[in-house]
Amino acid sequence: MAAVSMLGPREAGKFIASLAKDVSIRPDGVMKTARVIADAVKSGQLDMEAFKQNEVLPLGRGLTQGQLANWVFLIDSLNFNFWTPDGQPKYSVTHEGKETSALSHLSAPHLPSQTRTGYLAMVAAVNRALDEGQPMCDPTHYATLTLQDLTHIFRSDTPSQMPLLEKRFEVLQEISGILKEKFGGSFEGVLTRAENSAVKLVEIVTESFPCFRDVASFEGRPVAFYKRAQILAADLWMLYRGQAPGGFTDMGELTMFADYRVPQSLAYLGALEYSDALLQRLKEQYVFSSGDREEVEIRGCSIEATERIVEAARSLLQAEGGGDVTSIKVDFFLWDYRVKHAAKVDSIPYHRVRCIYY
């Protein structure tokens, strides 16, 4: 009997949404969110420079293009699981940004010393290590780091340390070994093989690095989300502003990055709706396992809802004088939206999982 083929993220989202039991996509919420997105496009809030991810780029440190590519790969290899149980202090890092650009076509404002939490805190910790003399852009260096070294590098301002630190240690060992074995010891080797294609980059990364194989099973069908592999492509595109080696010409082929924060924004804006039973579990801070049906439904419906939002926003923009939007830009916007409006958005509980995929 022939094996059932795996559905890619976009097809997986449509399939999961069509059979979901505890998560539904609300057409009125899709249109409401599309209106928010269309207005944001017209006001410039979906321009590359507008996203918070720019705040922690490692600019002003004299890094080569190859080192910058290694930095992005390191960050996205560790970009998972930052949530803290309610009532506990967040994982936080205070570090001062830099002023001068490392690449002639990039510019970075001077950033005052700022405390960041979650993902942004992790990135700030890596940049802090760079400034303290740790060559974090060299895979041969982080291959030698011990768990004790990582504990120091990712030290927090609060008693809450970074979750899953041992898993992150294992990930660093995995990626450094594979880079050395297959790609000449640098992520540049991966970029070269990708041939300016985000889709091909995602294929290479998910095939070569087990820690990026973000897949599940739903109704007997293997489904792929590839959250971290897709955001890797997007972060390279953001870093290089569409120029080589991150000048991917097919960014529109990628979907949103199915994590736990963007679904929260989608639910807050009314694009997603949860069953009473699921909502109760979320309010109780139930910790799902990776691959649980409810978790897969939330992630899959988030992808499909975003696809519908993009389509609706494009129609609005076409009728109102132009402008375009992609799933990636909607994802970045909704992630930032939750950060900027946390007090309101956090009235909707997010789903909690301890895993390495997001």
Side-chain angles (χ1 to χ4, degrees), residues 132-208:
E132 292 173 350
Q134 294 258 19
M136 298 299 290
C137 298
D138 183 356
T140 61
H141 171 72
Y142 57 71
T144 67
L145 296 175
T146 66
L147 183 58
Q148 185 176 2
D149 293 331
L150 284 191
T151 301
H152 176 71
I153 288 170
F154 292 113
R155 63 194 182 274
S156 175
D157 297 344
T158 71
S160 290
Q161 299 303 308
M162 184 186 290
L164 298 184
L165 196 59
E166 291 185 1
K167 288 292 186 183
R168 295 175 207 273
F169 173 73
E170 293 171 8
V171 164
L172 288 185
Q173 296 298 306
E174 175 188 303
I175 65 172
S176 59
I178 294 171
L179 285 174
K180 180 179 180 181
E181 178 185 352
K182 295 184 176 181
F183 300 102
S186 172
F187 188 70
E188 278 188 301
V190 179
L191 268 179
T192 299
R193 293 193 199 180
E195 298 176 326
N196 216 40
S197 166
V199 171
K200 191 168 183 179
L201 179 80
V202 170
E203 290 175 355
I204 294 169
V205 168
T206 54
E207 289 173 3
S208 302

Coordinates of all heavy atoms in Angstrom, one line a residue, residues 132-208:
E132 N 30.4 40.3 24.4 CA 31.3 39.9 25.4 C 32.5 39.0 24.9 O 33.3 38.5 25.7 CB 30.5 39.1 26.5 CG 29.6 40.0 27.3 CD 28.6 39.2 28.2 OE1 28.6 37.9 28.1 OE2 28.0 39.8 29.0
G133 N 32.5 38.9 23.6 CA 33.7 38.2 23.0 C 33.4 36.8 22.6 O 34.3 36.1 22.1
Q134 N 32.2 36.3 22.7 CA 31.8 34.9 22.3 C 31.5 34.9 20.8 O 30.6 35.6 20.4 CB 30.6 34.4 23.1 CG 30.8 34.3 24.6 CD 31.0 32.8 24.9 OE1 31.4 32.0 24.1 NE2 30.8 32.5 26.2
P135 N 32.3 34.2 20.0 CA 32.0 34.1 18.5 C 30.8 33.3 18.2 O 30.9 32.2 17.6 CB 33.3 33.5 18.0 CG 33.8 32.7 19.1 CD 33.5 33.4 20.4
M136 N 29.6 33.8 18.6 CA 28.4 33.0 18.4 C 28.0 32.8 17.0 O 27.1 32.0 16.7 CB 27.2 33.8 19.2 CG 27.4 33.9 20.7 SD 27.6 32.3 21.5 CE 25.9 31.7 21.3
C137 N 28.6 33.5 16.0 CA 28.3 33.3 14.6 C 29.2 32.2 14.0 O 29.1 32.0 12.8 CB 28.5 34.6 13.8 SG 27.5 35.9 14.3
D138 N 29.9 31.5 14.8 CA 30.8 30.4 14.4 C 30.3 29.1 14.9 O 30.4 28.8 16.1 CB 32.2 30.7 14.9 CG 33.2 29.6 14.4 OD1 32.8 28.7 13.7 OD2 34.4 29.8 14.6
P139 N 29.7 28.2 14.0 CA 29.2 27.0 14.5 C 30.3 26.1 15.2 O 29.9 25.3 16.0 CB 28.7 26.3 13.2 CG 28.4 27.4 12.3 CD 29.4 28.5 12.6
T140 N 31.5 26.2 14.8 CA 32.6 25.4 15.5 C 32.7 25.9 16.9 O 33.2 25.1 17.7 CB 33.9 25.5 14.7 OG1 34.4 26.9 14.7 CG2 33.8 25.0 13.3
H141 N 32.4 27.1 17.2 CA 32.5 27.6 18.6 C 31.3 27.1 19.4 O 31.5 26.5 20.5 CB 32.5 29.1 18.6 CG 32.3 29.7 20.0 ND1 33.3 29.6 20.9 CD2 31.3 30.3 20.7 CE1 32.9 30.1 22.1 NE2 31.7 30.6 21.9
Y142 N 30.1 27.3 18.9 CA 29.0 26.8 19.8 C 28.9 25.3 19.8 O 28.2 24.8 20.7 CB 27.6 27.5 19.4 CG 27.1 27.4 18.1 CD1 26.5 26.2 17.6 CD2 27.0 28.5 17.2 CE1 26.0 26.1 16.3 CE2 26.4 28.4 16.0 CZ 25.9 27.2 15.5 OH 25.3 27.2 14.3
A143 N 29.6 24.6 19.0 CA 29.7 23.1 19.1 C 30.4 22.7 20.4 O 30.2 21.6 20.9 CB 30.4 22.5 17.9
T144 N 31.3 23.6 20.9 CA 32.1 23.3 22.0 C 31.5 23.8 23.3 O 32.0 23.5 24.4 CB 33.5 24.0 21.9 OG1 33.3 25.4 22.0 CG2 34.2 23.6 20.6
L145 N 30.4 24.5 23.3 CA 29.7 25.1 24.5 C 29.1 24.0 25.3 O 28.5 23.0 24.8 CB 28.7 26.1 24.1 CG 29.1 27.4 23.4 CD1 27.9 28.2 23.0 CD2 30.1 28.2 24.2
T146 N 29.2 24.1 26.6 CA 28.6 23.1 27.5 C 27.3 23.7 28.0 O 26.9 24.8 27.7 CB 29.5 22.9 28.8 OG1 29.6 24.2 29.5 CG2 30.9 22.5 28.4
L147 N 26.5 22.8 28.6 CA 25.2 23.3 29.1 C 25.4 24.4 30.1 O 24.6 25.4 30.2 CB 24.5 22.1 29.8 CG 23.1 22.4 30.3 CD1 22.2 22.9 29.2 CD2 22.5 21.1 31.0
Q148 N 26.5 24.3 30.9 CA 26.8 25.4 31.8 C 27.1 26.7 31.1 O 26.7 27.8 31.5 CB 28.0 25.0 32.7 CG 28.3 26.0 33.8 CD 29.5 25.5 34.7 OE1 30.0 24.5 34.5 NE2 29.8 26.3 35.7
D149 N 27.8 26.6 30.0 CA 28.1 27.8 29.2 C 26.8 28.4 28.7 O 26.6 29.7 28.7 CB 28.9 27.4 27.9 CG 30.4 27.0 28.3 OD1 30.9 27.5 29.3 OD2 30.9 26.2 27.5
L150 N 25.9 27.6 28.2 CA 24.6 28.1 27.7 C 23.8 28.8 28.8 O 23.1 29.8 28.6 CB 23.8 27.0 27.1 CG 24.1 26.5 25.7 CD1 23.1 25.6 25.1 CD2 24.4 27.7 24.7
T151 N 23.8 28.2 30.0 CA 23.1 28.7 31.2 C 23.6 30.2 31.4 O 22.8 31.1 31.7 CB 23.3 27.9 32.4 OG1 22.9 26.5 32.1 CG2 22.6 28.4 33.6
H152 N 24.9 30.4 31.3 CA 25.5 31.7 31.5 C 25.1 32.7 30.3 O 24.7 33.8 30.5 CB 27.0 31.7 31.6 CG 27.6 33.0 31.7 ND1 27.5 33.8 32.8 CD2 28.4 33.7 30.8 CE1 28.2 35.0 32.6 NE2 28.7 34.9 31.4
I153 N 25.2 32.2 29.1 CA 24.9 33.0 27.9 C 23.5 33.5 28.0 O 23.2 34.7 27.7 CB 25.2 32.2 26.6 CG1 26.7 32.1 26.4 CG2 24.6 32.9 25.4 CD1 27.1 31.1 25.3
F154 N 22.5 32.6 28.3 CA 21.1 32.9 28.3 C 20.6 33.3 29.7 O 19.4 33.2 29.9 CB 20.3 31.8 27.7 CG 20.6 31.6 26.3 CD1 21.2 30.4 25.8 CD2 20.3 32.5 25.3 CE1 21.5 30.2 24.5 CE2 20.5 32.3 24.0 CZ 21.2 31.2 23.5
R155 N 21.5 33.8 30.5 CA 21.0 34.2 31.9 C 20.0 35.3 31.8 O 20.0 36.2 30.9 CB 22.2 34.7 32.7 CG 22.9 35.9 32.1 CD 24.3 36.1 32.8 NE 25.0 37.4 32.3 CZ 25.7 37.4 31.2 NH1 25.8 36.3 30.4 NH2 26.3 38.5 30.8
S156 N 19.1 35.2 32.8 CA 17.9 36.1 32.8 C 18.1 37.2 33.9 O 18.8 37.0 34.9 CB 16.6 35.3 33.0 OG 15.5 36.2 33.2
D157 N 17.4 38.3 33.7 CA 17.3 39.3 34.7 C 16.4 38.9 35.9 O 16.4 39.5 36.9 CB 16.8 40.7 34.2 CG 17.7 41.2 33.1 OD1 18.9 40.8 33.0 OD2 17.2 42.1 32.3
T158 N 15.6 37.9 35.6 CA 14.6 37.4 36.6 C 14.9 36.0 37.0 O 15.7 35.3 36.4 CB 13.2 37.5 36.0 OG1 13.1 36.4 35.0 CG2 12.9 38.8 35.4
P159 N 14.2 35.5 38.0 CA 14.4 34.1 38.4 C 13.9 33.1 37.4 O 14.3 31.9 37.4 CB 13.6 34.0 39.7 CG 13.5 35.3 40.2 CD 13.4 36.2 39.0
S160 N 13.2 33.5 36.4 CA 12.7 32.6 35.3 C 13.7 32.5 34.2 O 14.0 33.5 33.5 CB 11.4 33.2 34.7 OG 10.3 33.1 35.7
Q161 N 14.3 31.4 34.1 CA 15.3 31.1 33.1 C 14.6 30.7 31.8 O 13.5 30.3 31.8 CB 16.3 30.1 33.6 CG 17.1 30.5 34.8 CD 17.9 31.9 34.6 OE1 18.6 32.0 33.7 NE2 17.6 32.8 35.5
M162 N 15.4 30.6 30.7 CA 14.9 30.2 29.5 C 14.4 28.7 29.6 O 15.1 27.8 30.0 CB 15.9 30.3 28.4 CG 15.4 29.9 27.0 SD 16.7 29.9 25.7 CE 17.0 31.7 25.6
P163 N 13.2 28.4 29.1 CA 12.7 27.0 29.1 C 13.5 26.1 28.2 O 14.1 26.6 27.3 CB 11.2 27.1 28.7 CG 10.9 28.6 28.8 CD 12.1 29.3 28.6
L164 N 13.5 24.8 28.5 CA 14.0 23.8 27.6 C 15.5 24.1 27.2 O 15.9 23.8 26.1 CB 13.2 23.7 26.3 CG 11.7 23.2 26.5 CD1 11.1 23.1 25.1 CD2 11.6 22.0 27.3
L165 N 16.3 24.5 28.2 CA 17.7 24.8 27.9 C 18.4 23.6 27.5 O 19.3 23.7 26.6 CB 18.3 25.5 29.1 CG 19.7 26.2 28.9 CD1 19.5 27.3 27.8 CD2 20.2 26.8 30.1
E166 N 18.1 22.4 28.1 CA 18.8 21.2 27.7 C 18.5 20.8 26.2 O 19.4 20.3 25.5 CB 18.5 20.1 28.6 CG 19.0 20.2 30.0 CD 18.8 19.1 30.9 OE1 18.1 18.1 30.4 OE2 19.2 19.1 32.1
K167 N 17.2 21.1 25.8 CA 16.9 20.8 24.4 C 17.6 21.8 23.5 O 18.0 21.4 22.4 CB 15.4 21.0 24.2 CG 14.5 19.9 24.9 CD 14.7 18.6 24.1 CE 13.7 17.5 24.6 NZ 14.0 16.2 24.0
R168 N 17.8 23.0 23.9 CA 18.5 24.0 23.1 C 20.0 23.5 22.9 O 20.6 23.7 21.9 CB 18.4 25.4 23.6 CG 17.0 25.9 23.6 CD 16.8 27.2 24.3 NE 15.5 27.4 24.8 CZ 14.5 27.9 24.1 NH1 14.6 28.3 22.9 NH2 13.3 28.0 24.7
F169 N 20.5 23.0 24.0 CA 21.9 22.5 24.0 C 22.0 21.3 22.9 O 22.9 21.3 22.1 CB 22.3 22.0 25.4 CG 23.6 21.3 25.4 CD1 24.8 22.0 25.3 CD2 23.7 19.9 25.5 CE1 26.0 21.3 25.3 CE2 24.9 19.2 25.6 CZ 26.1 19.9 25.5
E170 N 21.0 20.4 22.9 CA 21.0 19.3 22.0 C 20.9 19.9 20.5 O 21.5 19.3 19.6 CB 19.8 18.4 22.3 CG 20.0 17.6 23.6 CD 18.8 16.9 24.0 OE1 17.8 16.8 23.2 OE2 18.7 16.4 25.1
V171 N 20.0 20.9 20.4 CA 19.9 21.5 19.0 C 21.2 22.0 18.5 O 21.6 21.8 17.3 CB 18.8 22.5 19.0 CG1 18.8 23.4 17.8 CG2 17.4 21.9 19.2
L172 N 21.9 22.8 19.4 CA 23.2 23.3 18.9 C 24.2 22.2 18.5 O 24.9 22.4 17.5 CB 23.8 24.2 20.0 CG 23.1 25.5 20.3 CD1 23.9 26.3 21.4 CD2 22.9 26.3 19.1
Q173 N 24.2 21.2 19.3 CA 25.1 20.0 18.9 C 24.7 19.5 17.6 O 25.5 19.1 16.7 CB 25.0 19.0 20.0 CG 25.5 19.4 21.4 CD 27.0 19.8 21.4 OE1 27.8 19.0 20.9 NE2 27.3 21.0 21.8
E174 N 23.4 19.3 17.4 CA 22.9 18.8 16.1 C 23.2 19.6 14.9 O 23.8 19.2 13.9 CB 21.4 18.6 16.2 CG 20.7 18.1 14.8 CD 19.2 18.1 14.9 OE1 18.6 17.4 15.8 OE2 18.6 18.8 14.0
I175 N 22.9 20.9 15.0 CA 23.1 21.8 13.8 C 24.5 22.0 13.5 O 24.9 22.1 12.3 CB 22.3 23.1 13.9 CG1 22.9 24.0 15.1 CG2 20.8 22.8 14.1 CD1 22.3 25.4 15.1
S176 N 25.4 22.1 14.5 CA 26.8 22.4 14.3 C 27.4 21.1 13.6 O 28.2 21.3 12.7 CB 27.5 22.7 15.6 OG 27.4 21.7 16.5
G177 N 27.0 19.9 14.0 CA 27.6 18.7 13.4 C 27.1 18.6 12.0 O 27.9 18.2 11.1
I178 N 25.9 18.9 11.7 CA 25.4 18.7 10.3 C 26.0 19.8 9.4 O 26.3 19.5 8.2 CB 23.8 18.8 10.3 CG1 23.3 17.5 11.0 CG2 23.3 18.8 8.9 CD1 21.8 17.6 11.3
L179 N 26.1 21.0 9.9 CA 26.8 22.1 9.1 C 28.2 21.6 8.7 O 28.6 21.8 7.6 CB 26.8 23.4 9.9 CG 25.5 24.2 10.0 CD1 25.7 25.4 10.9 CD2 25.0 24.6 8.6
K180 N 28.9 21.1 9.7 CA 30.3 20.6 9.4 C 30.3 19.5 8.4 O 31.1 19.4 7.5 CB 30.9 20.2 10.7 CG 32.4 19.7 10.5 CD 33.0 19.4 11.9 CE 34.4 18.9 11.7 NZ 35.0 18.5 13.0
E181 N 29.4 18.5 8.6 CA 29.4 17.3 7.8 C 28.9 17.5 6.3 O 29.4 17.0 5.4 CB 28.5 16.3 8.4 CG 28.3 15.0 7.7 CD 27.3 14.0 8.3 OE1 26.9 14.3 9.4 OE2 27.0 13.0 7.7
K182 N 27.9 18.4 6.2 CA 27.2 18.5 4.9 C 27.4 19.8 4.2 O 27.2 19.9 2.9 CB 25.7 18.2 5.0 CG 25.4 16.8 5.5 CD 23.8 16.7 5.5 CE 23.4 15.2 5.8 NZ 22.0 15.0 5.8
F183 N 27.7 20.9 4.9 CA 27.6 22.2 4.3 C 28.9 23.1 4.5 O 28.9 24.3 4.5 CB 26.4 23.0 4.9 CG 25.1 22.3 4.6 CD1 24.5 21.6 5.5 CD2 24.6 22.4 3.3 CE1 23.3 20.9 5.3 CE2 23.4 21.7 3.0 CZ 22.7 21.0 4.0
G184 N 30.0 22.4 4.7 CA 31.3 23.1 4.8 C 31.5 23.9 6.1 O 32.3 24.8 6.2
G185 N 30.6 23.6 7.1 CA 30.8 24.3 8.4 C 30.1 25.6 8.6 O 30.3 26.3 9.6
S186 N 29.4 26.0 7.6 CA 28.7 27.3 7.6 C 27.3 27.3 7.0 O 27.1 26.5 6.0 CB 29.6 28.4 6.9 OG 28.9 29.6 6.8
F187 N 26.4 28.1 7.4 CA 25.1 28.2 6.8 C 25.1 28.7 5.4 O 24.2 28.5 4.7 CB 24.1 29.0 7.7 CG 22.7 28.9 7.3 CD1 22.0 27.7 7.4 CD2 22.1 30.0 6.7 CE1 20.7 27.6 7.0 CE2 20.8 29.9 6.2 CZ 20.1 28.7 6.4
E188 N 26.2 29.4 5.1 CA 26.4 29.9 3.7 C 26.2 28.7 2.7 O 25.7 28.9 1.6 CB 27.7 30.6 3.5 CG 27.8 32.0 4.0 CD 29.1 32.7 3.6 OE1 30.1 32.2 4.0 OE2 29.0 33.7 2.8
G189 N 26.7 27.5 3.1 CA 26.6 26.4 2.3 C 25.1 26.0 2.0 O 24.8 25.6 0.9
V190 N 24.3 26.2 3.0 CA 22.8 26.0 2.8 C 22.2 27.0 1.8 O 21.5 26.7 0.9 CB 22.1 26.0 4.1 CG1 20.6 25.8 3.9 CG2 22.6 24.9 5.0
L191 N 22.6 28.3 2.1 CA 22.1 29.4 1.2 C 22.5 29.2 -0.2 O 21.7 29.5 -1.1 CB 22.6 30.7 1.8 CG 21.8 31.5 2.8 CD1 22.5 32.8 3.2 CD2 20.4 31.8 2.2
T192 N 23.7 28.8 -0.5 CA 24.2 28.6 -1.8 C 23.3 27.5 -2.5 O 22.9 27.7 -3.7 CB 25.6 28.1 -1.9 OG1 26.4 29.1 -1.3 CG2 26.1 27.9 -3.3
R193 N 23.0 26.4 -1.9 CA 22.2 25.4 -2.5 C 20.7 25.8 -2.7 O 20.0 25.3 -3.5 CB 22.2 24.1 -1.6 CG 23.6 23.5 -1.5 CD 23.5 22.1 -0.9 NE 24.8 21.6 -0.5 CZ 25.0 20.4 0.1 NH1 24.0 19.6 0.3 NH2 26.2 20.1 0.5
A194 N 20.3 26.8 -1.9 CA 18.9 27.2 -2.0 C 18.6 28.0 -3.3 O 17.5 28.1 -3.7 CB 18.5 28.1 -0.8
E195 N 19.7 28.5 -3.9 CA 19.6 29.2 -5.2 C 18.5 30.3 -5.2 O 17.7 30.4 -6.1 CB 19.3 28.2 -6.3 CG 20.5 27.2 -6.4 CD 20.2 26.1 -7.5 OE1 19.0 25.7 -7.6 OE2 21.1 25.6 -8.1
N196 N 18.5 31.1 -4.2 CA 17.6 32.3 -4.1 C 16.2 31.9 -4.1 O 15.3 32.7 -4.5 CB 17.9 33.2 -5.3 CG 17.7 34.7 -4.9 OD1 18.2 35.1 -3.9 ND2 17.1 35.5 -5.8
S197 N 15.9 30.7 -3.5 CA 14.5 30.3 -3.4 C 14.2 30.0 -1.9 O 14.8 29.1 -1.3 CB 14.2 29.0 -4.2 OG 13.0 28.4 -3.9
A198 N 13.2 30.7 -1.4 CA 12.7 30.4 0.0 C 12.2 29.0 0.1 O 12.4 28.3 1.1 CB 11.7 31.5 0.4
V199 N 11.4 28.6 -0.9 CA 10.8 27.2 -0.9 C 11.9 26.2 -0.8 O 11.8 25.2 -0.1 CB 9.9 27.0 -2.1 CG1 9.4 25.6 -2.2 CG2 8.7 28.0 -2.0
K200 N 12.9 26.4 -1.7 CA 14.0 25.4 -1.7 C 14.8 25.4 -0.4 O 15.2 24.4 0.1 CB 14.9 25.7 -2.9 CG 15.9 24.5 -3.1 CD 16.6 24.7 -4.5 CE 17.6 23.6 -4.7 NZ 18.3 23.7 -6.1
L201 N 15.0 26.6 0.2 CA 15.7 26.7 1.5 C 14.9 25.9 2.5 O 15.5 25.1 3.3 CB 15.8 28.1 1.9 CG 16.4 28.3 3.3 CD1 17.9 28.3 3.1 CD2 16.0 29.7 3.9
V202 N 13.6 26.0 2.6 CA 12.8 25.3 3.6 C 12.9 23.8 3.3 O 13.1 23.0 4.3 CB 11.3 25.7 3.5 CG1 10.4 24.8 4.3 CG2 11.1 27.1 4.0
E203 N 12.9 23.4 2.1 CA 13.1 21.9 1.8 C 14.4 21.4 2.2 O 14.5 20.3 2.9 CB 13.0 21.7 0.2 CG 11.6 21.9 -0.3 CD 11.5 21.8 -1.8 OE1 12.6 21.7 -2.4 OE2 10.4 21.9 -2.4
I204 N 15.5 22.2 2.0 CA 16.8 21.7 2.4 C 16.9 21.6 3.9 O 17.5 20.7 4.4 CB 17.9 22.7 1.8 CG1 17.9 22.6 0.3 CG2 19.3 22.3 2.4 CD1 18.8 23.7 -0.4
V205 N 16.4 22.7 4.6 CA 16.6 22.7 6.0 C 15.8 21.6 6.7 O 16.3 20.9 7.6 CB 16.1 24.1 6.5 CG1 16.0 24.1 8.0 CG2 17.2 25.2 6.1
T206 N 14.5 21.4 6.2 CA 13.7 20.4 6.9 C 14.2 18.9 6.6 O 14.0 18.0 7.3 CB 12.2 20.5 6.5 OG1 12.1 20.5 5.0 CG2 11.7 21.8 7.0
E207 N 14.8 18.8 5.4 CA 15.4 17.5 5.1 C 16.7 17.2 5.8 O 17.0 16.0 6.2 CB 15.6 17.4 3.5 CG 14.3 17.3 2.7 CD 14.6 17.3 1.2 OE1 15.8 17.4 0.8 OE2 13.6 17.3 0.5
S208 N 17.5 18.2 6.0 CA 18.9 18.0 6.5 C 19.0 18.1 8.0 O 19.8 17.5 8.6 CB 19.8 19.1 5.9 OG 19.8 19.0 4.5

